[in-house]
Amino acid sequence: MTDTATRIAAGLEQAFVAHGFAEPNVETLRDGAGVSLRTLYKYTPSRDEMVIAALEHRHLRYLDHVFADLPDDGSPALGAIIDRIANWMTTEAPHGCLFHAAVAAAPQNMRLVELLKRHKGDVAIKAAVVSGLQNREADIAFLFEGLTQSWPLLGGAAARSAHRLAQHL
């Protein structure tokens, strides 16, 4: 991505976080991206492309937030990942997963559905590898989904529950 494309994607991500996917008009998205309408459409020629760019940017930020500089030995890695997901939910997604919100707003959009699957799959695979739990990706995905989906209702209690359940993996 170019610097401009990254800046646009970051701005769009924050606009969708702030306004959801149904509410913001193109002017709101343009303002969030911090560029002219012409530049916005040059890099993201449709609203669907704007959503995809924002989510692709979020995916990379999330992976960096969750997996950067984890402990080398597998055992504490899963607990550290749970803590980092809880931190992300607190600071970046207190109302829930932006990927799920995007699919809920446009359930017929197969690109969004595939992006959601790829995002969740990448997280589960990386977590399984760093925690030494290969072949437990589905269990890890279930654990993390429980954490992120229940976060708006339970907050920190969801993270404590995820820690308890992780001990059984």
Side-chain angles (χ1 to χ4, degrees):
M1 263 189 168
T2 67
D3 289 344
T4 301
T6 299
R7 188 169 39 98
I8 290 169
L12 289 170
E13 176 193 353
Q14 293 310 307
F16 288 124
V17 167
H19 303 286
F21 290 98
E23 182 181 318
N25 58 31
V26 175
E27 289 75 22
T28 300
L29 296 174
R30 177 206 61 215
D31 292 347
V35 295
S36 69
L37 194 57
R38 181 177 181 178
T39 301
L40 178 63
Y41 277 118
K42 175 183 175 185
Y43 285 89
T44 54
S46 69
R47 186 178 187 89
D48 284 351
E49 292 300 321
M50 292 175 198
V51 173
I52 296 291
L55 292 176
E56 289 284 359
H57 183 264
R58 190 167 183 91
H59 174 69
L60 295 175
R61 283 193 333 104
Y62 186 81
L63 292 177
D64 185 58
H65 179 85
V66 172
F67 294 104
D69 303 318
L70 281 171
D72 288 336
D73 53 342
S75 171
L78 192 58
I81 292 168
I82 291 168
D83 290 340
R84 290 175 182 195
I85 292 171
N87 176 268
W88 178 272
M89 297 307 293
T90 299
T91 60
E92 301 280 343
H95 303 295
C97 176
L98 196 64
F99 291 85
H100 280 289
V103 171
Q108 74 290 349
N109 186 326
M110 289 296 105
R111 284 184 67 201
L112 288 178
V113 171
E114 290 305 315
L115 182 55
L116 168 67
K117 288 178 183 179
R118 181 171 55 89
H119 170 68
K120 300 299 182 173
D122 286 355
V123 171
I125 290 166
K126 282 180 150 306
V129 169
V130 299
S131 61
L133 293 168
Q134 289 87 339
N135 299 317
R136 302 294 301 269
E137 290 86 355
D139 297 332
I140 290 169
F142 187 81
L143 179 69
F144 292 172
E145 280 303 291
L147 171 57
T148 59
Q149 292 302 311
S150 64
W151 186 268
L153 299 172
L154 302 175
R160 291 187 295 278
S161 180
H163 276 290
R164 284 191 301 274
L165 294 171
Q167 293 174 359
H168 299 286
L169 290 180

